[in-house]
Amino acid sequence: MGGWAIVVHGGAGVDPRLPEERQAAAKRILARCLEIGAAALSAGAAAVDVVEMVVRELETDPFFNSGRGSALTARGTVEMEASIMDGRDRRCGAVSGITTVKNPITLARRVMDFSPHSCQAIHGAEECAVEQGVELLENDYFITDQNLAMLKLAKEANAILFDYRVAADTCGASAGAAMSFDTGIQMNGLPISVYAPETVGCVVVDSTGGCAAATSTGGLMNKKCGRIGDSPIIGAGTYACDVCAVSCTGEGEAIIRATLARDVAAVMEYKGLGLQAAIDYVIKERLDGGKAGIIAVGKDGEVGYGFNSNGMFRGCATEDGFMEVGIWE
Ligand code: ASP
């Protein structure tokens, strides 16, 4: 047994020209989350409790694309999604189309623990939230001025996805190409894409070797109402079993097609690869040109991550005192 470990991400859609102070702010939030998680793990907390606790923290902070600060639909509303999985018994809970729940990850946890179902969406999920007594707020609470400005620009460019690919990327066929730097579309004098907020996730192995994963998001800016991404889909955006725990970020449609999170575990189980080798393998072999990032932990305390975007907001901490946060390769 290699001791506890925690990895956290704040999305993979980051641009190299992200202003220094924004980079520093992102790292500060990730470090704070790692400290919260590490303290709980040192005190003997279970992996599933820690991933929920850390993702709640990220949902409450408006910096990233989850909870408050979520990306907006084409109608200017927020439709949040989240999922959680406990690898000890492969129980899971997921929610989608959430408009009033302050911490969607906690609703996903309640679905896992108290609902007869694994996934609940829209009205049924909101009813479950009321029954379960989780904190509810008006949809306005989740909408930030920055995201309203981004939605306006996304609409003008008729783009849904504009933050995983930058002009230097040769995959110009994506919708994101419409927002390349050559368009001159800027906010505060900088290309809009440097401001893109990102999905959050956390994976943990606790001191008993139990693994858990959690992911939460507002989805993609200017998405169609009712669009469901990878984040609430078990096996795509989130997966945990007795071997590892995985959370993904990036182009949801590509992640769904790749069953990306489950494939990391499957490659370990069926091909016998180690954690990092499994991550590298699925990023290379399974994404078919899609852009994504992965964080993962293994049951023996290994940590791993990988991405084929420009960067990924992420950090990790382990029981032996190691801790780091980073954005680029
Ligand atoms: N994967 C998320 C989605 O497609 C977005 C993200 O990771 O930033 O909804």
Side-chain angles (χ1 to χ4, degrees):
M1 197 78 66
W4 59 254
I6 175 170
V7 192
V8 62
H9 76 74
V14 55
D15 187 287
R17 281 159 280 191
L18 184 72
E20 283 292 334
E21 61 277 12
R22 297 274 294 172
Q23 296 187 32
K27 287 182 182 170
R28 268 198 307 277
I29 298 165
L30 294 174
R32 190 181 78 221
C33 288
L34 288 173
E35 278 159 15
I36 290 169
L41 286 161
S42 299
V48 71
D49 293 327
V50 177
V51 294
E52 181 191 353
M53 186 190 301
V54 166
V55 169
R56 279 178 65 93
E57 190 73 16
L58 289 161
E59 287 174 339
T60 304
D61 193 308
F63 191 94
F64 292 112
N65 170 14
S66 64
R68 180 145 194 271
S70 279
L72 306 175
T73 68
R75 287 192 199 144
T77 54
V78 161
E79 292 182 1
M80 297 170 285
E81 316 186 288
S83 64
I84 189 165
M85 187 160 187
D86 187 343
R88 285 175 306 192
D89 44 14
R90 282 191 285 134
R91 288 184 318 124
C92 57
V95 292
S96 187
I98 302 301
T99 57
T100 63
V101 177
K102 184 178 180 207
N103 292 109
I105 198 63
T106 289
L107 182 57
R109 174 82 192 261
R110 300 287 169 95
V111 167
M112 176 172 91
D113 288 345
F114 301 113
S115 159
H117 308 299
S118 295
C119 186
Q120 281 190 266
I122 322 172
H123 314 298
E126 302 275 348
E127 275 165 33
C128 177
V130 173
E131 279 163 25
Q132 289 296 323
V134 302
E135 190 173 358
L136 304 178
L137 292 160
E138 293 296 317
N139 199 244
D140 286 1
Y141 159 84
F142 303 97
I143 300 173
T144 61
D145 288 346
Q146 177 171 310
N147 283 351
L148 284 171
M150 287 174 60
L151 177 65
K152 186 164 170 284
L153 294 176
K155 278 179 169 299
E156 281 164 16
N158 194 24
I160 293 174
L161 209 176
F162 56 87
D163 50 352
Y164 300 97
R165 299 162 188 274
V166 295
D169 193 323
T170 49
C171 302
S174 75
M179 291 296 284
S180 82
F181 296 116
D182 298 332
T183 63
I185 298 172
Q186 298 196 331
M187 185 164 75
N188 296 334
L190 282 165
I192 184 68
S193 71
V194 302
Y195 289 94
E198 297 304 331
T199 294
V200 305
C202 181
V203 292
V204 163
V205 53
D206 61 31
S207 50
T208 70
C211 296
T215 311
S216 182
T217 190
L220 302 178
M221 187 64 75
N222 202 22
K223 68 181 181 181
K224 290 190 184 304
C225 287
R227 180 259 186 187
I228 298 174
D230 59 297
S231 306
I233 297 184
I234 298 297
T238 303
Y239 190 73
C241 58
D242 57 359
V243 173
C244 63
V246 186
S247 172
C248 301
T249 170
E251 297 178 10
E253 285 69 13
I255 295 170
I256 290 169
R257 289 196 302 275
T259 57
L260 202 63
R262 168 61 196 155
D263 262 32
V264 173
V267 163
M268 293 178 76
E269 289 169 26
Y270 300 140
K271 261 172 109 63
L273 265 55
L275 185 77
Q276 188 60 51
I279 293 168
D280 295 344
Y281 180 86
V282 302
I283 294 264
K284 187 157 173 281
E285 303 296 336
R286 297 289 291 157
L287 278 169
D288 301 330
K291 298 285 184 192
I294 295 173
I295 58 168
V297 289
K299 68 172 175 11
D300 294 322
E302 317 94 291
V303 297
Y305 68 86
F307 50 88
N308 64 356
S309 50
N310 289 305
M312 175 168 69
F313 296 102
R314 84 269 168 187
C316 70
T318 52
E319 187 166 353
D320 58 14
F322 177 77
M323 181 172 142
E324 74 174 4
V325 291
I327 303 177
W328 316 112
E329 193 62 68

